[in-house]
Amino acid sequence: MSPTRQQPQQNTSDHQASIAAHLIFLIAAACGLTVANLYYAQPLSGLISAALGMPESQSGLIVTVTQIGYCLGLLLIVPLADLLENRSLIVWMTRLLAGALLLLPFTSHPMPFLLAIWLVGILSVSVQILVPFAAHLAPIAIRGRVVGNVMSGLMLGIMLARPVASLVAHIASWRAIFLLSAGTMLVLSVVLGRVLPSRQPTTRQSYTALLRSMGSLLVSIPALQRRAFYHACMFGAFSLFWTVTPLLLAAPPYALTQGEIAVFALVGVAGAISAPLAGRIADRGWIWPATLLAMALTSAAFLTTWFVSPSMLFVVMLAVAGVVIDFCITANLVLGQRVLFVLAPEHRARLNAVYMALFFIGGALGSAVGGWAYAHGGWALASTFGAALPALAFVVCLTEKGAR
């Protein structure tokens, strides 16, 4: 009798696992394709500002406005995932994102372009609804693995966006990448609408109450405070590295071209493989030692570049450091999300929004500090700050075991 009753349950479980794998692949691809829209303009800011008649000194506004839009979206739109049906919210945001992208190639003045790319930043936060959505689909025993697989897609999108945009601009023009992405987002919205399951949140709070609750969550959940601080330091080091290295490699004695720098940036793609590995480590309960290891390796990656004199060997060493840094930043991100995604599911989207917004601020500060440090002290000063940020997180993380 007993085996007879258990057999259908086993079949159902296997069927659900296969569906989950199919959905996780789609969500990972959607995350990568969507988040790439935040980074297409970064290597093209000089071309875009020249075409729009913007002074060269203001070209940085293109990236800054996109980042501001993304932060606003994290704080104002992502909480809606705890209130509204998730599939419809994701699909409509993807459609609107396609519309915003379609505006970019047809603008000829700075203000309309900046407004459109600001909207691109806001609407791209659908990736931060998709990641908790994937966590909802996964049983807790494999939730870290699922989040890791999704984050692999997201990190690939971030790391491939810059070289892909440069390549498309080289073949056609800077406008082509936005046209291609608009079409991709439109197709993606159709696929997501047909394949994603419906998910209706159980929260009954008003939107205003949800926004107010984000501050309460940060104050009342130590795990959120710690993981946000850890990754703010780590993401700051990551942003510093990728802000300074193009400046360093374009200057004498290296004098690499933009195409060669784009090839150099491709080495960072290798770091995306750490996401599923980190997810499996998290599922085994090794989050704290894995976090410490990621911080230590990130700091060491900066420091090892000090022992090679300026030469092509230094460029190789810098590339190795880039792989290590990207590997560790991706792993730490997944470890942090694994910690947060075992908390109350009704808060999951808001927890992720606060986490992402805080470490995104850390990334912006890392870029600013890196640019200033490189201008005043070259790679030696910039890499000192780069090593210090994860080292600070390491020291704070050492206190976590006692706190737990």
Side-chain angles (χ1 to χ4, degrees):
M1 291 292 292
S2 178
T4 304
R5 287 196 301 267
Q6 290 176 357
Q7 186 62 38
Q9 293 176 357
Q10 182 64 41
N11 291 340
T12 301
S13 176
D14 290 344
H15 179 60
Q16 289 174 342
S18 65
I19 293 175
H22 174 66
L23 286 174
I24 297 312
F25 177 81
L26 172 63
I27 293 171
C31 284
L33 291 169
T34 302
V35 79
N37 293 300
L38 295 172
Y39 299 93
Y40 287 140
Q42 286 191 352
L44 309 178
S45 58
L47 294 174
I48 295 171
S49 60
L52 300 178
M54 295 174 64
E56 185 178 348
S57 59
Q58 296 179 10
S59 62
L61 282 175
I62 295 170
V63 176
T64 301
V65 167
T66 310
Q67 292 174 338
I68 291 172
Y70 191 71
C71 284
L72 283 174
L74 284 169
L75 296 175
L76 299 179
I77 294 182
V78 172
L80 289 172
D82 286 334
L83 188 64
L84 303 178
E85 198 280 309
N86 282 192
R87 179 179 61 191
S88 297
L89 179 61
I90 292 165
V91 168
W92 274 105
M93 287 183 68
T94 307
R95 290 173 181 166
L96 293 171
L97 177 57
L101 287 163
L102 197 58
L103 294 173
L104 295 174
F106 300 104
T107 55
S108 55
H109 297 284
M111 191 55 66
F113 184 91
L114 292 175
L115 177 61
I117 207 161
W118 176 70
L119 290 173
V120 168
I122 290 176
L123 296 166
S124 294
V125 297
S126 60
V127 298
Q128 300 309 332
I129 300 173
L130 281 163
V131 175
F133 188 92
H136 283 294
L137 296 176
I140 191 170
I142 61 167
R143 188 165 292 157
R145 188 187 315 171
V146 168
V147 171
N149 290 337
V150 170
M151 292 307 297
S152 289
L154 188 146
M155 294 306 297
L156 279 172
I158 292 174
M159 295 169 185
L160 286 172
R162 298 179 183 91
V164 167
S166 297
L167 179 62
V168 172
H170 177 71
I171 295 172
S173 75
W174 65 266
R175 301 176 192 272
I177 187 64
F178 298 116
L179 284 172
L180 289 171
S181 188
T184 302
M185 291 299 103
L186 193 58
V187 172
L188 182 62
S189 70
V190 174
V191 175
L192 291 173
R194 291 182 178 179
V195 178
L196 287 183
S198 175
R199 178 185 175 269
Q200 182 64 52
T202 58
T203 303
R204 293 292 177 263
Q205 291 178 282
S206 67
Y207 175 65
T208 304
L210 284 175
L211 294 182
R212 286 199 301 265
S213 71
M214 293 172 74
S216 301
L217 290 173
L218 178 61
V219 171
S220 62
I221 301 179
L224 176 58
Q225 298 165 11
R226 283 184 171 272
R227 298 309 310 194
F229 176 77
Y230 297 162
H231 206 65
C233 292
M234 293 286 280
F235 199 62
F238 168 87
S239 298
L240 182 149
F241 182 87
W242 289 109
T243 296
V244 172
T245 50
L247 302 174
L248 174 66
L249 296 175
Y254 312 108
L256 269 60
T257 66
Q258 287 301 311
E260 290 168 336
I261 292 173
V263 172
F264 176 87
L266 280 172
V267 302
V269 174
I273 65 173
S274 69
L277 177 62
R280 285 165 172 77
I281 289 173
D283 286 338
R284 291 178 178 271
W286 300 339
I287 293 176
W288 185 67
T291 299
L292 287 171
L293 180 61
M295 294 168 178
L297 289 175
T298 302
S299 189
F302 280 97
L303 297 178
T304 53
T305 63
W306 293 2
F307 302 101
V308 182
S309 59
S311 63
M312 289 311 296
L313 179 59
F314 175 82
V315 175
V316 172
M317 196 67 197
L318 203 63
V320 173
V323 172
V324 172
I325 290 167
D326 286 6
F327 187 96
C328 294
I329 267 61
T330 303
N332 192 67
L333 174 60
V334 173
L335 293 170
Q337 288 180 314
R338 178 62 172 80
V339 170
L340 299 180
F341 289 166
V342 298
L343 303 178
E346 65 272 17
H347 302 320
R348 196 166 284 154
R350 281 167 288 157
L351 287 170
N352 194 51
V354 174
Y355 176 57
M356 298 292 292
L358 289 175
F359 84 64
F360 200 83
I361 292 171
L365 291 174
S367 294
V369 169
W372 175 87
Y374 181 73
H376 288 80
W379 175 248
L381 182 59
S383 59
T384 299
F385 279 105
L389 286 169
L392 174 62
F394 183 92
V395 172
V396 175
C397 189
L398 286 174
T399 69
E400 181 179 322
K401 193 170 186 180
R404 290 185 303 173

